[in-house]
Amino acid sequence: MLTLAEIQIGMSRLNEWSLDGQSVTKEWEFKHFRESVAFLNKVSETAEKNNHYPTVFLDKTRVRLILTTEYERALSEKDFQLAEELDKIST
């Protein structure tokens, strides 16, 4: 489990993610449904590469991702690493 200071450092590395209890979340807005799905395909590839998987919500043109480390029931460095990689694929 990360300390509050480690979580603050992790959050400072992220672009527009929110701290929500024991998880970090971010929402993306796309113009078309197919763009949302294409983004989710990239998310899937990145998650597989990292062996760490987000909770995903898809509502037509909006995608919301939630990251937490389930087996720890808390945030871990893996969550921040994946969030950083997801920021890269969304730009």
Side-chain angles (χ1 to χ4, degrees), residues 4 7-8 10-28 55 63-68 74-76 79-80 83-84 86-87:
L4 181 57
I7 291 171
Q8 290 172 333
M11 291 301 295
S12 73
R13 299 184 338 231
L14 304 182
N15 184 26
E16 298 181 11
W17 287 77
S18 299
L19 183 61
D20 185 16
Q22 296 297 321
S23 61
V24 290
T25 66
K26 185 171 180 178
E27 191 170 295
W28 288 262
T55 299
V63 174
R64 182 171 180 233
L65 301 180
I66 302 171
L67 298 175
T68 193
L75 284 167
S76 74
D79 298 305
F80 291 107
E84 285 181 277
L86 294 173
D87 277 342

Side-chain angles (χ1 to χ4, degrees), residues 48-62:
E48 284 292 332
K49 183 177 80 173
N50 285 275
N51 195 31
H52 194 60
Y53 306 93
T55 299
V56 176
F57 293 94
L58 170 62
D59 182 18
K60 298 176 189 137
T61 59
R62 288 185 305 148

